[in-house]
Amino acid sequence: MSQFNVAVFLGDDASPEVMKPTVALLERMQLPIDFVYPTVGSVALESEGSRFPEASKNQVDRADATFFGSTSGDSTEALFYLRWGKQTFANVRPCLWRPGFRSPLANPDGIDFTIVRENLEDLYLGLEGDLEDLSALNLYSRHARANVKDLGPGRYAIKAITEAGSERVIRFAFELARKREKQRKVTLTSKYNMLAKADGYFRDIGFEVAKDYPDIAFETFIVDDFLCRMISRPEALDVVVMPNLYGDIMSDGAAGLIGGLGLAPSGCYGDAYAYFESAHGTAPDIQGQNIINPTATLLSACMMLDYLGLGDQAKRIDQGISQLYAALQWIPKDQGGTASTEQIFKALEDIIMTH
Ligand code: ATP
């Protein structure tokens, strides 16, 4: 079996409390993976004069994938490189309820959908500035609803929806729907009524791509309607694709449906690279308390193992997590239990190593 190389960023605040033991678990499972730890942030600045030195970038480039701990700033440069540098355009956020997860819904059974969020464009390109700079464009004469000149001082942010960027992420969603073999359905959502030019374009491209997938059902909803549907009938969803900002917001909402951010994994895929991190942030408010829920990080590691072609090993961890929650014995604090982070890792390792 070939040996893989994974770059690990432990992240900030409470993040290392789940990243370190997850990597330790993978090491104890004796997987064919070598882990490297690129230096980054203030440590790298002090020793190498840069927050994301060339040597660290090379380690990321040489790795087959990156396992990324949430950052509150120190590894932001590395994160931007993983996203825009490596063109990881599809952010995949699975939302699967398992017995033992503390969902706020009366009947969460059957929630099993995946959000595919466009990861590079929309409002996240950083194209911001002063409103007065837009005056020269004379957008009012081109059917804008207000004249920039009348607005007074203010700022703008550009939302860019490109043909290539939309097509590749929508295609990714269709391929995923085929691979999942669940409902074989793609749902596309955006604000295509109010933002007919940009979000309408995203939807138009969706209809075009759908023609190549006659075996996959395709439906579209305006994003506010979609949110209501996601909450009231989440079991009707399979694969959902949407532009960046909506995906950012909806996927946290989706995590809330199954029991919260502590349960939500995430993977960002490009044509030639992928990195994996929990959907949650660094949880600074619970740092050092040994109560951070490791499930999101562990499931992100499972997504990484799948990506590397180690699906059987991913299944061992995934099934171990289901078993752990179903037993109702080692439930973390955010899910209404009293188990510490360390106890959960110990219990999970016991399950995995005895199977
Ligand atoms: P960021 O800006 O990096 O997203 P944040 O503080 O806004 O940081 P999170 O770090 O995701 O957002 O935390 C939001 C809330 O969810 C916090 O109260 C945090 O403690 C809680 N939380 C996040 N992840 C977990 C987890 N794995 N286990 C338990 N609680 C968590």
Side-chain angles (χ1 to χ4, degrees):
M1 195 185 279
S2 57
Q3 191 75 16
F4 298 101
N5 199 305
V6 166
V8 180
F9 294 84
L10 294 175
D12 307 319
D13 304 324
S15 185
E17 295 171 38
V18 280
M19 287 294 291
K20 277 186 197 167
T22 298
V23 174
L25 177 67
L26 299 182
E27 280 175 333
R28 248 165 283 153
M29 288 171 71
Q30 300 192 317
L31 306 182
I33 301 178
D34 291 324
F35 296 97
V36 292
Y37 295 83
T39 47
V40 74
S42 42
V43 175
L45 187 64
E46 211 160 281
S47 60
E48 295 165 66
S50 159
R51 291 189 164 273
F52 187 44
E54 212 45 41
S56 298
K57 200 181 282 182
N58 289 339
Q59 281 177 306
V60 166
D61 289 343
R62 278 198 303 271
D64 297 290
T66 288
F67 191 35
F68 196 85
S70 306
T71 180
S72 55
D74 228 22
S75 32
T76 302
E77 269 185 55
L79 183 62
F80 284 7
Y81 181 67
L82 285 165
R83 239 161 126 172
W84 284 276
K86 306 303 276 180
Q87 287 289 294
T88 46
F89 62 86
N91 181 197
V92 176
R93 297 191 165 189
C95 181
L96 167 68
W97 181 81
R98 302 168 198 240
F101 283 9
R102 192 168 67 165
S103 167
L105 299 186
N107 183 17
D109 206 6
I111 300 180
D112 181 3
F113 64 94
T114 294
I115 290 180
V116 178
R117 161 193 174 194
E118 197 289 318
N119 206 31
L120 301 178
E121 43 190 53
D122 189 1
L123 276 161
Y124 288 68
L125 289 165
L127 301 173
E128 300 181 278
D130 286 318
L131 266 180
E132 61 179 0
D133 297 343
L134 295 182
S135 296
L137 295 177
N138 198 14
L139 295 168
Y140 194 44
S141 65
R142 285 186 271 151
H143 311 295
R145 297 178 192 113
N147 193 339
V148 175
K149 289 193 178 85
D150 299 334
L151 293 178
R155 307 270 166 87
Y156 70 84
I158 286 179
K159 174 187 177 86
I161 302 285
T162 70
E163 181 181 358
S166 304
E167 199 206 311
R168 65 184 177 179
V169 77
I170 294 167
R171 205 167 278 287
F172 187 101
F174 274 95
E175 292 292 332
L176 184 63
R178 258 189 193 159
K179 225 179 289 160
R180 272 168 58 88
E181 290 189 332
K182 296 268 162 79
Q183 299 180 44
R184 298 179 79 79
K185 180 168 78 168
V186 170
T187 304
L188 178 148
T189 182
S190 68
K191 190 76 182 172
Y192 48 79
N193 53 344
M194 282 299 279
L195 298 168
K197 285 222 171 64
D199 282 7
Y201 192 47
F202 190 79
R203 182 187 187 225
D204 291 345
I205 293 167
F207 280 117
E208 280 306 307
V209 174
K211 288 179 188 163
D212 294 339
Y213 297 86
D215 54 317
I216 306 291
F218 182 58
E219 61 186 11
T220 70
F221 300 111
I222 296 167
V223 70
D224 35 351
D225 178 26
F226 168 78
L227 175 56
C228 184
R229 288 168 188 270
M230 185 179 87
I231 292 170
S232 51
R233 286 199 59 219
E235 69 285 353
L237 299 172
D238 182 8
V239 175
V240 190
V241 64
M242 59 190 95
N244 206 338
L245 179 64
Y246 307 131
D248 194 358
I249 297 167
M250 293 297 157
S251 52
D252 272 30
L257 284 181
I258 56 167
L261 285 171
L263 306 169
S266 160
C268 296
Y269 302 79
D271 287 329
Y273 204 83
Y275 74 94
F276 300 85
E277 64 169 340
S278 65
H280 63 74
T282 62
D285 51 331
I286 55 170
Q287 179 183 3
Q289 295 179 36
N290 197 16
I291 57 167
I292 181 168
N293 186 344
T295 309
T297 300
L298 284 160
L299 290 175
S300 303
C302 290
M303 291 174 77
M304 180 173 75
L305 296 184
D306 265 332
Y307 173 75
L308 294 174
L310 301 170
D312 289 349
Q313 305 299 328
K315 219 171 270 166
R316 281 175 77 193
I317 301 175
D318 189 279
Q319 288 172 351
I321 290 169
S322 288
Q323 224 175 302
L324 193 78
Y325 275 95
L328 297 177
Q329 203 186 346
W330 303 105
I331 303 293
K333 189 157 182 252
D334 67 327
Q335 300 303 304
T338 54
S340 71
T341 309
E342 280 171 12
Q343 285 172 327
I344 294 165
F345 274 109
K346 170 81 180 63
L348 181 64
E349 190 180 325
D350 287 348
I351 292 173
I352 291 171
M353 294 310 185
T354 52
H355 282 81

